Amino acid sequence: MKRLLVVSAHAADFVWRAGGAIALAVAQGGEALVVALSYGERGESGELWKEPGQTLERVKTIREAEARRAAEVLGAGFVGLDLGDYPLRVGEEALWRLVDILVDFAPDVLITHTPKDPFNPDHPVAYEAAEKARQLASGAGVASAFRTIRPPEFWLFEPHQPELCGFVPNLFLDITPVWEKKRAAMEVFASQAYLVRYYSERAEHRANHARRISGFKDIERAEAFQRVLPQVLRAL
């Protein structure tokens, strides 16, 4: 039973890239929590801005509602920090909020964005914040003068264009048993409905890779991740 924490730059990132992992953790008796640093109201809500007379506050309200509903579908808790987007800025106060969330939730696995993304200015900022918060929350794995947690596994989820973001998948997760939950969560985001097909197809592509690697022929949908830290085993 795993405790999974996902740090998402915008309200919907967690659904496209780690929705299956979240649903699977919950289905297996674990807990999941999503932290959205922003709602993506400025740069991630193009469909909403096509409506005449649209306002920033209304878009933000819609995006927050979508994010909370999607997290609910997946069985996860949701925290929105509302830091704004394009550009996303994580100041010291927000960083310590994130540290407190890590310490209180004490995840077994932490997932966030890649440190490089030439098409999105906010994703690397989210990575930097999550990485710094992880180090502070775990005390770099040694005794400290402040409250710390056992270092969680640290994964990066797949960016939209992985080959341009330095993403090297070294972990494939079979999400076949929870695929319908992920699909339902993706469909909550009417503000980015065009991405549902893209990430549905991506799940099939990664399942093909997972089948070839593992020989498990029943994998129909998968998500790809990159482990940042080495795996530590106590038995072979």
Side-chain angles (χ1 to χ4, degrees):
M1 293 185 289
K2 297 281 190 180
R3 295 171 68 82
L4 175 64
L5 177 63
V6 180
V7 177
S8 181
H10 310 108
D13 294 330
F14 73 95
V15 173
W16 317 124
R17 298 168 171 88
I22 293 168
L24 193 63
V26 174
Q28 293 177 343
E31 292 184 62
L33 178 64
V34 174
V35 176
L37 301 181
S38 80
Y39 296 124
E41 63 272 13
R42 284 163 49 84
E44 302 276 307
S45 307
E47 294 303 305
L48 297 177
W49 285 107
K50 294 177 181 178
E51 298 178 14
Q54 189 61 273
T55 67
L56 189 67
E57 287 306 315
R58 184 168 180 271
V59 171
K60 189 185 295 187
T61 298
I62 293 171
R63 290 281 288 184
E64 180 182 7
E66 288 178 335
R68 291 188 182 280
R69 175 56 185 153
E72 181 182 348
V73 169
L74 297 172
F78 179 82
V79 176
L81 297 190
D82 193 14
L83 301 179
D85 66 313
Y86 286 76
L88 170 66
R89 294 186 178 93
V90 182
E92 185 172 350
E93 181 179 350
L95 174 63
W96 282 110
R97 282 190 67 188
L98 190 55
V99 172
D100 288 341
I101 290 170
L102 264 99
V103 171
D104 291 339
F105 188 67
D108 298 293
V109 180
L110 170 65
I111 306 178
T112 194
H113 297 265
T114 53
K116 177 183 176 182
D117 191 329
F119 298 103
N120 194 298
D122 294 348
H123 292 171
V125 176
Y127 166 83
E128 183 179 354
E131 167 68 326
K132 188 173 293 185
R134 179 193 68 83
Q135 293 181 359
L136 291 168
S138 63
V142 299
S144 304
F146 43 88
R147 189 164 62 109
T148 61
I149 58 173
R150 183 173 60 83
E153 295 183 34
F154 190 29
W155 303 358
L156 310 178
F157 47 48
E158 183 166 10
H160 195 73
Q161 296 194 39
E163 63 279 1
L164 298 179
C165 298
F167 179 78
V168 181
N170 53 22
L171 188 156
F172 290 90
L173 186 66
D174 178 11
I175 62 169
T176 306
V178 294
W179 168 248
E180 292 305 321
K181 279 190 176 294
K182 175 169 180 173
R183 176 85 189 194
M186 291 195 297
E187 290 176 347
V188 168
F189 280 95
S191 56
Q192 289 180 291
Y194 56 91
L195 287 176
V196 174
R197 178 180 176 182
Y198 178 89
Y199 281 99
S200 295
E201 292 175 350
R202 174 58 72 182
E204 294 179 355
H205 298 161
R206 289 312 192 182
N208 176 275
H209 300 158
R211 287 193 300 270
R212 292 172 65 90
I213 292 168
S214 67
F216 298 144
K217 301 185 185 303
D218 58 342
I219 300 178
E220 298 177 0
R221 301 287 194 286
E223 287 176 342
F225 299 91
Q226 180 176 342
R227 293 179 61 103
V228 177
L229 303 173
Q231 186 177 23
V232 178
L233 302 177
R234 306 186 78 172
L236 293 179

